[in-house]
């Protein structure tokens, strides 16, 4: 699957809607059902998938700004085909980062924040490490691998 470069004009609106949808749906327990929830609300399948991949990360970055977040990630299409990408070149990610900052600056709700970051693989790994006795200052962030399939 090739990433779509053209960002729909409604994408920013979909991000804002997704913050509320994901943030207010604490009872959804798997990503497939959450994805379906976004699609049923009118967000196209590809765009809702991108939101589910990157929005939890942008929220986690805001929650834990003291960490050294990676500037790259890898899109994986197969075991052999992995493409290194720069977050700063991903228009959707940048828009999500902007909307996350706006949300953060406008009296954010803790429940919404926690309901979004719980979908972040980074947050879950850090949380597990802390529960196992690790310390936040010992966290070393690495570039994530995003499975895209073929």
């Amino acid at each position: 699957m090739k990433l779509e470069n053209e960002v729909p004009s409604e994408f920013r609106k979909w991000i804002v809607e997704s913050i509320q949808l994901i943030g207010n749906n604490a009872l959804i327990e798997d990503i497939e059902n959450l994805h379906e929830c976004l699609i049923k609300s009118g967000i196209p399948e590809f765009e809702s998938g991108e939101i589910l991949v990157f929005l939890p990360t942008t929220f986690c970055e805001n929650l834990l700004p003291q960490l050294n977040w990676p500037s790259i990630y890898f899109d994986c299409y197969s075991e052999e085909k992995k493409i290194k990408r720069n977050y700063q070149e991903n228009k959707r990610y940048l828009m999500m980062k902007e909307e996350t900052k706006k949300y953060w600056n406008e009296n954010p709700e803790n429940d919404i924040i926690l309901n979004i970051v719980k979908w972040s693989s980074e947050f879950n790994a850090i949380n597990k490490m802390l529960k196992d006795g690790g310390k936040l200052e010992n966290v070393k962030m690495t570039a994530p691998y995003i499975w895209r399939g073929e």
Side-chain angles (χ1 to χ4, degrees), residues 118-150:
K118 79 176 186 182
W119 295 104
S120 163
S121 57
E122 297 93 346
F123 178 78
N124 290 314
I126 292 165
N127 198 35
K128 182 181 180 336
M129 184 209 65
L130 294 174
K131 284 181 178 178
D132 291 345
K135 297 195 181 324
L136 195 56
E137 59 266 17
N138 295 331
V139 170
K140 180 173 175 14
M141 302 297 291
T142 59
Y145 286 76
I146 300 168
W147 180 251
R148 300 289 185 173
E150 286 217 86

PDB file of all heavy atoms in Angstrom, residues 118-150:
ATOM      1  N   LYS A 118      -3.478   5.819  25.772  1.00  0.00           N
ATOM      2  CA  LYS A 118      -3.459   4.364  26.013  1.00  0.00           C
ATOM      3  C   LYS A 118      -3.315   3.574  24.713  1.00  0.00           C
ATOM      4  O   LYS A 118      -2.945   2.408  24.731  1.00  0.00           O
ATOM      5  CB  LYS A 118      -4.701   3.918  26.777  1.00  0.00           C
ATOM      6  CG  LYS A 118      -5.943   3.777  25.939  1.00  0.00           C
ATOM      7  CD  LYS A 118      -7.103   3.236  26.731  1.00  0.00           C
ATOM      8  CE  LYS A 118      -8.295   2.969  25.826  1.00  0.00           C
ATOM      9  NZ  LYS A 118      -9.427   2.484  26.592  1.00  0.00           N
ATOM     10  N   TRP A 119      -3.582   4.212  23.576  1.00  0.00           N
ATOM     11  CA  TRP A 119      -3.423   3.552  22.277  1.00  0.00           C
ATOM     12  C   TRP A 119      -2.004   3.704  21.729  1.00  0.00           C
ATOM     13  O   TRP A 119      -1.681   3.183  20.666  1.00  0.00           O
ATOM     14  CB  TRP A 119      -4.443   4.096  21.276  1.00  0.00           C
ATOM     15  CG  TRP A 119      -5.843   3.760  21.685  1.00  0.00           C
ATOM     16  CD1 TRP A 119      -6.752   4.609  22.251  1.00  0.00           C
ATOM     17  CD2 TRP A 119      -6.481   2.494  21.608  1.00  0.00           C
ATOM     18  NE1 TRP A 119      -7.918   3.944  22.522  1.00  0.00           N
ATOM     19  CE2 TRP A 119      -7.777   2.635  22.133  1.00  0.00           C
ATOM     20  CE3 TRP A 119      -6.085   1.237  21.144  1.00  0.00           C
ATOM     21  CZ2 TRP A 119      -8.681   1.572  22.203  1.00  0.00           C
ATOM     22  CZ3 TRP A 119      -6.992   0.184  21.202  1.00  0.00           C
ATOM     23  CH2 TRP A 119      -8.266   0.358  21.728  1.00  0.00           C
ATOM     24  N   SER A 120      -1.158   4.419  22.438  1.00  0.00           N
ATOM     25  CA  SER A 120       0.223   4.637  22.009  1.00  0.00           C
ATOM     26  C   SER A 120       1.104   3.471  22.456  1.00  0.00           C
ATOM     27  O   SER A 120       1.182   3.160  23.647  1.00  0.00           O
ATOM     28  CB  SER A 120       0.740   5.949  22.618  1.00  0.00           C
ATOM     29  OG  SER A 120       2.138   6.012  22.563  1.00  0.00           O
ATOM     30  N   SER A 121       1.777   2.848  21.509  1.00  0.00           N
ATOM     31  CA  SER A 121       2.684   1.746  21.866  1.00  0.00           C
ATOM     32  C   SER A 121       3.826   2.270  22.733  1.00  0.00           C
ATOM     33  O   SER A 121       4.300   1.571  23.639  1.00  0.00           O
ATOM     34  CB  SER A 121       3.218   1.061  20.615  1.00  0.00           C
ATOM     35  OG  SER A 121       3.870   1.976  19.775  1.00  0.00           O
ATOM     36  N   GLU A 122       4.242   3.512  22.487  1.00  0.00           N
ATOM     37  CA  GLU A 122       5.308   4.101  23.306  1.00  0.00           C
ATOM     38  C   GLU A 122       4.852   4.242  24.761  1.00  0.00           C
ATOM     39  O   GLU A 122       5.588   3.884  25.678  1.00  0.00           O
ATOM     40  CB  GLU A 122       5.702   5.483  22.761  1.00  0.00           C
ATOM     41  CG  GLU A 122       6.293   5.468  21.368  1.00  0.00           C
ATOM     42  CD  GLU A 122       5.282   5.685  20.244  1.00  0.00           C
ATOM     43  OE1 GLU A 122       4.060   5.588  20.491  1.00  0.00           O
ATOM     44  OE2 GLU A 122       5.713   5.921  19.113  1.00  0.00           O
ATOM     45  N   PHE A 123       3.647   4.749  24.951  1.00  0.00           N
ATOM     46  CA  PHE A 123       3.110   4.918  26.303  1.00  0.00           C
ATOM     47  C   PHE A 123       3.010   3.573  27.015  1.00  0.00           C
ATOM     48  O   PHE A 123       3.387   3.451  28.185  1.00  0.00           O
ATOM     49  CB  PHE A 123       1.735   5.592  26.252  1.00  0.00           C
ATOM     50  CG  PHE A 123       1.099   5.754  27.600  1.00  0.00           C
ATOM     51  CD1 PHE A 123       1.503   6.779  28.447  1.00  0.00           C
ATOM     52  CD2 PHE A 123       0.118   4.878  28.025  1.00  0.00           C
ATOM     53  CE1 PHE A 123       0.922   6.924  29.695  1.00  0.00           C
ATOM     54  CE2 PHE A 123      -0.469   5.019  29.278  1.00  0.00           C
ATOM     55  CZ  PHE A 123      -0.072   6.040  30.114  1.00  0.00           C
ATOM     56  N   ASN A 124       2.514   2.567  26.314  1.00  0.00           N
ATOM     57  CA  ASN A 124       2.356   1.251  26.934  1.00  0.00           C
ATOM     58  C   ASN A 124       3.697   0.636  27.311  1.00  0.00           C
ATOM     59  O   ASN A 124       3.821   0.032  28.380  1.00  0.00           O
ATOM     60  CB  ASN A 124       1.543   0.330  26.024  1.00  0.00           C
ATOM     61  CG  ASN A 124       0.095   0.776  25.977  1.00  0.00           C
ATOM     62  OD1 ASN A 124      -0.506   1.069  27.008  1.00  0.00           O
ATOM     63  ND2 ASN A 124      -0.469   0.847  24.794  1.00  0.00           N
ATOM     64  N   ALA A 125       4.708   0.805  26.480  1.00  0.00           N
ATOM     65  CA  ALA A 125       6.039   0.281  26.793  1.00  0.00           C
ATOM     66  C   ALA A 125       6.638   1.019  27.992  1.00  0.00           C
ATOM     67  O   ALA A 125       7.208   0.394  28.900  1.00  0.00           O
ATOM     68  CB  ALA A 125       6.958   0.406  25.577  1.00  0.00           C
ATOM     69  N   ILE A 126       6.500   2.345  28.006  1.00  0.00           N
ATOM     70  CA  ILE A 126       7.024   3.142  29.123  1.00  0.00           C
ATOM     71  C   ILE A 126       6.287   2.792  30.411  1.00  0.00           C
ATOM     72  O   ILE A 126       6.901   2.599  31.463  1.00  0.00           O
ATOM     73  CB  ILE A 126       6.908   4.655  28.813  1.00  0.00           C
ATOM     74  CG1 ILE A 126       7.857   5.029  27.685  1.00  0.00           C
ATOM     75  CG2 ILE A 126       7.185   5.497  30.065  1.00  0.00           C
ATOM     76  CD1 ILE A 126       7.576   6.387  27.055  1.00  0.00           C
ATOM     77  N   ASN A 127       4.983   2.674  30.338  1.00  0.00           N
ATOM     78  CA  ASN A 127       4.175   2.337  31.502  1.00  0.00           C
ATOM     79  C   ASN A 127       4.574   0.982  32.075  1.00  0.00           C
ATOM     80  O   ASN A 127       4.712   0.820  33.289  1.00  0.00           O
ATOM     81  CB  ASN A 127       2.690   2.356  31.123  1.00  0.00           C
ATOM     82  CG  ASN A 127       1.791   2.450  32.321  1.00  0.00           C
ATOM     83  OD1 ASN A 127       2.115   3.091  33.312  1.00  0.00           O
ATOM     84  ND2 ASN A 127       0.648   1.805  32.226  1.00  0.00           N
ATOM     85  N   LYS A 128       4.772  -0.002  31.221  1.00  0.00           N
ATOM     86  CA  LYS A 128       5.207  -1.330  31.669  1.00  0.00           C
ATOM     87  C   LYS A 128       6.565  -1.246  32.360  1.00  0.00           C
ATOM     88  O   LYS A 128       6.772  -1.842  33.417  1.00  0.00           O
ATOM     89  CB  LYS A 128       5.254  -2.312  30.506  1.00  0.00           C
ATOM     90  CG  LYS A 128       5.664  -3.715  30.950  1.00  0.00           C
ATOM     91  CD  LYS A 128       5.724  -4.665  29.788  1.00  0.00           C
ATOM     92  CE  LYS A 128       6.127  -6.070  30.153  1.00  0.00           C
ATOM     93  NZ  LYS A 128       6.890  -6.294  31.334  1.00  0.00           N
ATOM     94  N   MET A 129       7.484  -0.495  31.751  1.00  0.00           N
ATOM     95  CA  MET A 129       8.808  -0.360  32.336  1.00  0.00           C
ATOM     96  C   MET A 129       8.726   0.272  33.731  1.00  0.00           C
ATOM     97  O   MET A 129       9.367  -0.188  34.665  1.00  0.00           O
ATOM     98  CB  MET A 129       9.708   0.490  31.425  1.00  0.00           C
ATOM     99  CG  MET A 129      11.142   0.589  31.937  1.00  0.00           C
ATOM    100  SD  MET A 129      11.984   2.109  31.476  1.00  0.00           S
ATOM    101  CE  MET A 129      11.050   3.338  32.334  1.00  0.00           C
ATOM    102  N   LEU A 130       7.900   1.319  33.866  1.00  0.00           N
ATOM    103  CA  LEU A 130       7.753   1.984  35.163  1.00  0.00           C
ATOM    104  C   LEU A 130       7.127   1.048  36.191  1.00  0.00           C
ATOM    105  O   LEU A 130       7.561   1.010  37.350  1.00  0.00           O
ATOM    106  CB  LEU A 130       6.922   3.262  35.019  1.00  0.00           C
ATOM    107  CG  LEU A 130       7.548   4.380  34.182  1.00  0.00           C
ATOM    108  CD1 LEU A 130       6.563   5.523  33.996  1.00  0.00           C
ATOM    109  CD2 LEU A 130       8.844   4.872  34.797  1.00  0.00           C
ATOM    110  N   LYS A 131       6.137   0.266  35.777  1.00  0.00           N
ATOM    111  CA  LYS A 131       5.508  -0.698  36.689  1.00  0.00           C
ATOM    112  C   LYS A 131       6.490  -1.771  37.129  1.00  0.00           C
ATOM    113  O   LYS A 131       6.389  -2.302  38.228  1.00  0.00           O
ATOM    114  CB  LYS A 131       4.289  -1.353  36.028  1.00  0.00           C
ATOM    115  CG  LYS A 131       3.087  -0.461  35.978  1.00  0.00           C
ATOM    116  CD  LYS A 131       1.912  -1.186  35.337  1.00  0.00           C
ATOM    117  CE  LYS A 131       0.679  -0.312  35.315  1.00  0.00           C
ATOM    118  NZ  LYS A 131      -0.444  -0.984  34.665  1.00  0.00           N
ATOM    119  N   ASP A 132       7.451  -2.084  36.252  1.00  0.00           N
ATOM    120  CA  ASP A 132       8.467  -3.092  36.565  1.00  0.00           C
ATOM    121  C   ASP A 132       9.632  -2.513  37.367  1.00  0.00           C
ATOM    122  O   ASP A 132      10.627  -3.196  37.588  1.00  0.00           O
ATOM    123  CB  ASP A 132       8.994  -3.739  35.282  1.00  0.00           C
ATOM    124  CG  ASP A 132       7.962  -4.619  34.596  1.00  0.00           C
ATOM    125  OD1 ASP A 132       6.946  -4.970  35.236  1.00  0.00           O
ATOM    126  OD2 ASP A 132       8.170  -4.960  33.415  1.00  0.00           O
ATOM    127  N   GLY A 133       9.514  -1.231  37.770  1.00  0.00           N
ATOM    128  CA  GLY A 133      10.539  -0.632  38.618  1.00  0.00           C
ATOM    129  C   GLY A 133      11.525   0.274  37.916  1.00  0.00           C
ATOM    130  O   GLY A 133      12.432   0.803  38.546  1.00  0.00           O
ATOM    131  N   GLY A 134      11.360   0.469  36.622  1.00  0.00           N
ATOM    132  CA  GLY A 134      12.263   1.357  35.887  1.00  0.00           C
ATOM    133  C   GLY A 134      12.001   2.816  36.222  1.00  0.00           C
ATOM    134  O   GLY A 134      11.034   3.156  36.902  1.00  0.00           O
ATOM    135  N   LYS A 135      12.867   3.673  35.746  1.00  0.00           N
ATOM    136  CA  LYS A 135      12.746   5.107  35.988  1.00  0.00           C
ATOM    137  C   LYS A 135      12.630   5.839  34.651  1.00  0.00           C
ATOM    138  O   LYS A 135      13.280   5.481  33.670  1.00  0.00           O
ATOM    139  CB  LYS A 135      13.950   5.611  36.754  1.00  0.00           C
ATOM    140  CG  LYS A 135      14.087   4.989  38.138  1.00  0.00           C
ATOM    141  CD  LYS A 135      15.048   5.764  38.993  1.00  0.00           C
ATOM    142  CE  LYS A 135      15.253   5.211  40.360  1.00  0.00           C
ATOM    143  NZ  LYS A 135      14.160   4.625  41.052  1.00  0.00           N
ATOM    144  N   LEU A 136      11.803   6.889  34.656  1.00  0.00           N
ATOM    145  CA  LEU A 136      11.558   7.642  33.427  1.00  0.00           C
ATOM    146  C   LEU A 136      12.845   8.216  32.844  1.00  0.00           C
ATOM    147  O   LEU A 136      13.013   8.250  31.624  1.00  0.00           O
ATOM    148  CB  LEU A 136      10.539   8.767  33.701  1.00  0.00           C
ATOM    149  CG  LEU A 136       9.901   9.411  32.492  1.00  0.00           C
ATOM    150  CD1 LEU A 136       9.203   8.391  31.600  1.00  0.00           C
ATOM    151  CD2 LEU A 136       8.914  10.482  32.924  1.00  0.00           C
ATOM    152  N   GLU A 137      13.776   8.632  33.698  1.00  0.00           N
ATOM    153  CA  GLU A 137      15.022   9.212  33.184  1.00  0.00           C
ATOM    154  C   GLU A 137      15.893   8.184  32.458  1.00  0.00           C
ATOM    155  O   GLU A 137      16.830   8.534  31.753  1.00  0.00           O
ATOM    156  CB  GLU A 137      15.826   9.903  34.290  1.00  0.00           C
ATOM    157  CG  GLU A 137      16.223   9.019  35.448  1.00  0.00           C
ATOM    158  CD  GLU A 137      15.251   9.062  36.622  1.00  0.00           C
ATOM    159  OE1 GLU A 137      14.111   9.519  36.460  1.00  0.00           O
ATOM    160  OE2 GLU A 137      15.650   8.617  37.703  1.00  0.00           O
ATOM    161  N   ASN A 138      15.558   6.896  32.592  1.00  0.00           N
ATOM    162  CA  ASN A 138      16.323   5.844  31.910  1.00  0.00           C
ATOM    163  C   ASN A 138      15.695   5.412  30.588  1.00  0.00           C
ATOM    164  O   ASN A 138      16.204   4.520  29.922  1.00  0.00           O
ATOM    165  CB  ASN A 138      16.483   4.626  32.821  1.00  0.00           C
ATOM    166  CG  ASN A 138      17.311   4.961  34.041  1.00  0.00           C
ATOM    167  OD1 ASN A 138      18.173   5.832  34.011  1.00  0.00           O
ATOM    168  ND2 ASN A 138      17.040   4.287  35.132  1.00  0.00           N
ATOM    169  N   VAL A 139      14.596   6.031  30.201  1.00  0.00           N
ATOM    170  CA  VAL A 139      13.920   5.673  28.955  1.00  0.00           C
ATOM    171  C   VAL A 139      14.744   6.132  27.766  1.00  0.00           C
ATOM    172  O   VAL A 139      15.197   7.272  27.711  1.00  0.00           O
ATOM    173  CB  VAL A 139      12.505   6.306  28.892  1.00  0.00           C
ATOM    174  CG1 VAL A 139      11.892   6.134  27.502  1.00  0.00           C
ATOM    175  CG2 VAL A 139      11.604   5.706  29.954  1.00  0.00           C
ATOM    176  N   LYS A 140      14.950   5.225  26.832  1.00  0.00           N
ATOM    177  CA  LYS A 140      15.619   5.555  25.572  1.00  0.00           C
ATOM    178  C   LYS A 140      14.637   5.238  24.461  1.00  0.00           C
ATOM    179  O   LYS A 140      14.223   4.098  24.285  1.00  0.00           O
ATOM    180  CB  LYS A 140      16.902   4.743  25.408  1.00  0.00           C
ATOM    181  CG  LYS A 140      17.635   5.049  24.116  1.00  0.00           C
ATOM    182  CD  LYS A 140      18.974   4.361  24.067  1.00  0.00           C
ATOM    183  CE  LYS A 140      19.735   4.506  22.790  1.00  0.00           C
ATOM    184  NZ  LYS A 140      19.404   5.442  21.820  1.00  0.00           N
ATOM    185  N   MET A 141      14.248   6.259  23.738  1.00  0.00           N
ATOM    186  CA  MET A 141      13.269   6.106  22.668  1.00  0.00           C
ATOM    187  C   MET A 141      13.968   5.656  21.381  1.00  0.00           C
ATOM    188  O   MET A 141      15.067   6.108  21.077  1.00  0.00           O
ATOM    189  CB  MET A 141      12.549   7.431  22.415  1.00  0.00           C
ATOM    190  CG  MET A 141      11.828   8.000  23.629  1.00  0.00           C
ATOM    191  SD  MET A 141      10.505   6.972  24.251  1.00  0.00           S
ATOM    192  CE  MET A 141       9.336   7.117  22.925  1.00  0.00           C
ATOM    193  N   THR A 142      13.304   4.762  20.657  1.00  0.00           N
ATOM    194  CA  THR A 142      13.812   4.321  19.357  1.00  0.00           C
ATOM    195  C   THR A 142      12.730   4.548  18.310  1.00  0.00           C
ATOM    196  O   THR A 142      11.552   4.705  18.637  1.00  0.00           O
ATOM    197  CB  THR A 142      14.195   2.823  19.373  1.00  0.00           C
ATOM    198  OG1 THR A 142      13.041   2.060  19.710  1.00  0.00           O
ATOM    199  CG2 THR A 142      15.311   2.559  20.379  1.00  0.00           C
ATOM    200  N   ALA A 143      13.124   4.558  17.067  1.00  0.00           N
ATOM    201  CA  ALA A 143      12.182   4.784  15.972  1.00  0.00           C
ATOM    202  C   ALA A 143      11.177   3.642  15.902  1.00  0.00           C
ATOM    203  O   ALA A 143      11.563   2.471  15.911  1.00  0.00           O
ATOM    204  CB  ALA A 143      12.937   4.898  14.655  1.00  0.00           C
ATOM    205  N   PRO A 144       9.889   3.968  15.837  1.00  0.00           N
ATOM    206  CA  PRO A 144       8.886   2.919  15.736  1.00  0.00           C
ATOM    207  C   PRO A 144       8.790   2.323  14.340  1.00  0.00           C
ATOM    208  O   PRO A 144       9.160   2.967  13.353  1.00  0.00           O
ATOM    209  CB  PRO A 144       7.585   3.632  16.124  1.00  0.00           C
ATOM    210  CG  PRO A 144       7.821   5.058  15.801  1.00  0.00           C
ATOM    211  CD  PRO A 144       9.296   5.293  15.978  1.00  0.00           C
ATOM    212  N   TYR A 145       8.272   1.115  14.285  1.00  0.00           N
ATOM    213  CA  TYR A 145       8.010   0.417  13.033  1.00  0.00           C
ATOM    214  C   TYR A 145       6.498   0.322  12.884  1.00  0.00           C
ATOM    215  O   TYR A 145       5.820  -0.198  13.764  1.00  0.00           O
ATOM    216  CB  TYR A 145       8.636  -0.967  13.048  1.00  0.00           C
ATOM    217  CG  TYR A 145      10.134  -0.927  12.902  1.00  0.00           C
ATOM    218  CD1 TYR A 145      10.950  -0.551  13.957  1.00  0.00           C
ATOM    219  CD2 TYR A 145      10.732  -1.258  11.699  1.00  0.00           C
ATOM    220  CE1 TYR A 145      12.329  -0.498  13.826  1.00  0.00           C
ATOM    221  CE2 TYR A 145      12.117  -1.215  11.547  1.00  0.00           C
ATOM    222  CZ  TYR A 145      12.906  -0.825  12.625  1.00  0.00           C
ATOM    223  OH  TYR A 145      14.257  -0.771  12.486  1.00  0.00           O
ATOM    224  N   ILE A 146       5.976   0.837  11.777  1.00  0.00           N
ATOM    225  CA  ILE A 146       4.545   0.846  11.525  1.00  0.00           C
ATOM    226  C   ILE A 146       4.261  -0.165  10.419  1.00  0.00           C
ATOM    227  O   ILE A 146       4.752  -0.017   9.293  1.00  0.00           O
ATOM    228  CB  ILE A 146       4.069   2.264  11.114  1.00  0.00           C
ATOM    229  CG1 ILE A 146       4.382   3.242  12.253  1.00  0.00           C
ATOM    230  CG2 ILE A 146       2.581   2.242  10.766  1.00  0.00           C
ATOM    231  CD1 ILE A 146       4.243   4.694  11.869  1.00  0.00           C
ATOM    232  N   TRP A 147       3.494  -1.196  10.763  1.00  0.00           N
ATOM    233  CA  TRP A 147       3.185  -2.227   9.788  1.00  0.00           C
ATOM    234  C   TRP A 147       2.144  -1.721   8.815  1.00  0.00           C
ATOM    235  O   TRP A 147       1.033  -1.356   9.207  1.00  0.00           O
ATOM    236  CB  TRP A 147       2.703  -3.492  10.473  1.00  0.00           C
ATOM    237  CG  TRP A 147       2.385  -4.562   9.496  1.00  0.00           C
ATOM    238  CD1 TRP A 147       1.152  -5.023   9.167  1.00  0.00           C
ATOM    239  CD2 TRP A 147       3.314  -5.279   8.676  1.00  0.00           C
ATOM    240  NE1 TRP A 147       1.254  -5.976   8.197  1.00  0.00           N
ATOM    241  CE2 TRP A 147       2.569  -6.161   7.881  1.00  0.00           C
ATOM    242  CE3 TRP A 147       4.704  -5.251   8.539  1.00  0.00           C
ATOM    243  CZ2 TRP A 147       3.167  -7.012   6.953  1.00  0.00           C
ATOM    244  CZ3 TRP A 147       5.285  -6.110   7.625  1.00  0.00           C
ATOM    245  CH2 TRP A 147       4.531  -6.969   6.847  1.00  0.00           C
ATOM    246  N   ARG A 148       2.490  -1.679   7.548  1.00  0.00           N
ATOM    247  CA  ARG A 148       1.596  -1.206   6.497  1.00  0.00           C
ATOM    248  C   ARG A 148       1.086  -2.376   5.648  1.00  0.00           C
ATOM    249  O   ARG A 148       0.091  -2.232   4.955  1.00  0.00           O
ATOM    250  CB  ARG A 148       2.300  -0.199   5.584  1.00  0.00           C
ATOM    251  CG  ARG A 148       2.806   1.031   6.283  1.00  0.00           C
ATOM    252  CD  ARG A 148       1.684   1.912   6.702  1.00  0.00           C
ATOM    253  NE  ARG A 148       2.184   3.170   7.272  1.00  0.00           N
ATOM    254  CZ  ARG A 148       1.403   4.156   7.593  1.00  0.00           C
ATOM    255  NH1 ARG A 148       0.106   4.070   7.442  1.00  0.00           N
ATOM    256  NH2 ARG A 148       1.908   5.265   8.111  1.00  0.00           N
ATOM    257  N   GLY A 149       1.802  -3.487   5.683  1.00  0.00           N
ATOM    258  CA  GLY A 149       1.416  -4.624   4.853  1.00  0.00           C
ATOM    259  C   GLY A 149       1.553  -4.297   3.375  1.00  0.00           C
ATOM    260  O   GLY A 149       1.992  -3.224   3.014  1.00  0.00           O
ATOM    261  N   GLU A 150       1.249  -5.249   2.530  1.00  0.00           N
ATOM    262  CA  GLU A 150       1.320  -4.974   1.083  1.00  0.00           C
ATOM    263  C   GLU A 150      -0.015  -5.196   0.463  1.00  0.00           C
ATOM    264  O   GLU A 150      -0.846  -5.870   0.907  1.00  0.00           O
ATOM    265  CB  GLU A 150       2.363  -5.849   0.418  1.00  0.00           C
ATOM    266  CG  GLU A 150       3.739  -5.364   0.772  1.00  0.00           C
ATOM    267  CD  GLU A 150       4.727  -5.463  -0.353  1.00  0.00           C
ATOM    268  OE1 GLU A 150       4.759  -4.507  -1.146  1.00  0.00           O
ATOM    269  OE2 GLU A 150       5.452  -6.448  -0.428  1.00  0.00           O
TER     270      GLU A 150
END
